[in-house]
Amino acid sequence: MQEVVELPSPFAHAAPHLSHSDLRETAYEILVGACRSSSPKPLTFFSHSITPHPSPSLYRSLSLTPSIKLKKQLGLRTTSFRACTTGELLRLQMSVSELSDTRLRRALLRLAQLGTPTQSMLLPLVLLQHLYRSDFSSDQEYEAWLRRILKVLEAGLLLHPRLPLDKEDNSALRLHHLIRRSLQNPILIVKDTQSMHALRTLSLSLASRSFDSSLPQTCHWADGFPLNLLIYQTLLEACFDNHQPTCLIPEVDHLLELIKTTWVTLGINEMLHNLSFALVLFQHFLANGQVDNDLLFASSHLLAEVHKDSKAMEYPFSSKSLSYALNFILTWAEERLLAYHHTFHNGNIDSMQSVVSLAISSAKILSQDTSLECNTMRKEPDISYTRIENYITSSLHAVFKLEKLDPRNSNNLPRQQDKVFSSLSVLAHDISDLAFNEKAVFSPILKMWHPHAAGVAAATLHVCYGHELKQYVKSVTELTPNTVEMLMAADKMEKDLVQIAVEDSVDSEDGGKSVIREMYPYEAEAVWIPHANKECFAQSALEILRMIDDSLKAFFLLPIPIHAVLLPELVFALDKSLQQYILKAKSGCGNHNSFIPIMPALTRCSVGSKFHGVFRRKEKSQVTQRRIFHLGTANEDSSFGLPQFCVRINTMQRIGMGLKVLEKRTVALPGNSKSTREDGTEKGLKFRLSKAASMEGIHQLSEAMAYKVIFQDLREVLWDGLYVGEVSSTRIEPFLEELNQCLKIILSTLHARIITHVITEVVKACFDGFLLVLLAGGPARAFSLEDHVIIDEDFKLLTDLFWSNGEGLPADLIEKHSTTVKEVLPLFRMDTEDLIEQFSELILEMYGSSAKYHFPLPTTSCQWSPRDPNTVLRVLCHRNDKTATKFLKKNYNLPKSKKSHRL
């Protein structure tokens, strides 16, 4: 059984002296009076003693056939149909007696016969003047009615007037004293002509005030807030079946048509109607066990409509009552959403969308109320985003808290460590299951308000597990089976979470990068590197070198006389084994072609376009600086991050150094030195295969690492960022900043003897990348002739980074590898007409006279040169002027680049 929670009327303070019965009677009087005002026919009175049913002319002419309009709109249930007039049904729904209804209609008929204008009707005063003692069955009933009328006048004119009371006008004070005195003995006021005259004069004076004195005087006694909303809510209660409070009556559409006739009197509009109805529906939902989701859905639907309307207008009333109601709804909804994994399940998941809608709509409406001081929600850029993220993180943290490990298990006892790592493995599997369940069950609902709901959930779980992992992994001293299992489970879970985040953001502007950046890599693979390794190379290399040395020593201990004859064969076999180790150590690293992006098709520039507003500079993230060094290569081998590349290069270097020592030892072994020199077999004692493989390994790993760093790890700031859109605002500095971080890792990890070689490979990759951006950067890049100044400056900044004021690479080495760039850059300084002339000459040289009338499209060799027609053609393709685009269209019919095109 659900907890029954009742939402008190947020407007109850508007009439503290009026009972619920008083409010029903007053609301009914206003409704009947409003129907009289809107009816095109004169009001006719029939006594209930003569006619069993009220006159149809009292109400608007409405069909009594049940309508399903509201039911379809809000998805609400209705009860069975009852045959009676709409007016009679309304009276029954509001529990108004026939005698009260008869008296009311009698007073209004008397007023009509006097011809009193509608706009001057002050209903409580009219009833006070046109109903007499003879209309009531007893003095007590008459006295109770008089008290109610006086309290209604007080509430409407003094407690909650439409316009603020003028402190200098003593009419309000005089009326207050008159009403207070009359409440003690209300019958006396109707007998005292002078008192009645004063009551009438003061009441009309206050009710007829207007914002604009030029408008004709009308009475506004009941459109002061929040009294009018309290009265209107009382009317809306009549829409519910008295015996089935979760169901609307079948005639609800007709009743609402009647109720809406009070809008002019009460100052209600569509927005306030929806707000009041939403509150009434929500009250019924709470008061009846919180099990009828139709009521919840209808309330959320109407509140969403209120938010749409409220954006176009200011609140015409005090926000205290509104904020009370909306804050109650918001608090109720967020209590469930901040722990939605506990609140919702397969049996009630359909209600979650309505609860979220209530929370978001309430928060947004509150944020628009400018009268609320210190309203922090107004400062939030997107309330739905921040709220949904808060619900996701809060709920998932609550779930994870139940699953996390006991911190007492974090000591270093091996048995307890293994137990902890086994638990971490199980936890990793559970987190993956939780993430996939989140994506399947909750994310589709939350995604209606936050496009990356599943990604936020994945990032939250990633942080939660990472905190646990960090506590225990730092104590790892050896790789036990349980430790390995834990690391593998953590790695798989991390990949699952990243995949969820990527898939969730596939249609987003940045492809999910903003979410993934918040997922700090676990770096679990770092545990695999033995802690004893202080020189950043694989200890297995030392072990295999020691095994070779031991094998050679053991060979000469064998009791055979032909050591020198068999030794070359042994060395060759050991050389082959070591070669296999080296080949295995560098396998899967790829080469420079593995990372160079595919060049886009040639297009011509959209002249004058610089893609303003289409491409935005991406903010630099500290996470990026860590993450880029640990992502896998194109073949998804996660062992080849930047530090791992450095370790393997060092390993190749260490093997090469070890082989030199082994060769010397082999020649100098006892009984071997003289014989090898005499018979010339010393050459057979060289580890040629291994030395060649290690040198080739250093070159291949250095080249692959350099091109991976430039074209994959730094893709966002080079290939996806440099000169994309406006050249002046997408310069090379972001690339240089992140490249500098890579160089620091390389310099701090690599052996001193091979640093120059490796950095040289990075230089070559950088220059290739720079040229590829300029010549094959695709339709997102366009250069004007004036941009050559920026390009030259950026290239100088790039070369200066490697020269580093003489502390980096030698200037002649940089000069050697920058030759191609320096030869191509002058093309960007040439006028378009000169470029076209040079291109034409090169085409004729390459293809002969056959190309005089039709230019063939030159092939792409990627051997960039100012004498290569394809290179010159690409400069023309990126030239942002009419002459170039006209030439390209005429000779090659190249398509225009699209402004919104993305690489």
Side-chain angles (χ1 to χ4, degrees), residues 61-87:
S61 178
L62 296 173
S63 169
L64 297 182
T65 305
S67 172
I68 58 172
K69 179 181 177 182
L70 187 69
K71 177 183 177 182
K72 287 183 176 180
Q73 182 182 8
L74 299 181
L76 294 170
R77 293 179 291 114
T78 59
T79 54
S80 59
F81 173 64
R82 292 161 293 187
C84 65
T85 66
T86 306

Side-chain angles (χ1 to χ4, degrees), residues 796 799-811 814:
K796 186 177 186 306
T799 55
D800 287 348
L801 176 67
F802 291 105
W803 184 61
S804 190
N805 293 321
E807 296 181 2
L809 290 179
I814 298 175

Side-chain angles (χ1 to χ4, degrees), residues 222-240:
D223 52 359
F225 293 89
L227 175 64
N228 54 355
L229 293 179
L230 179 61
I231 294 172
Y232 195 71
Q233 273 200 316
T234 305
L235 289 170
L236 291 175
E237 287 286 346
C239 296
F240 288 86

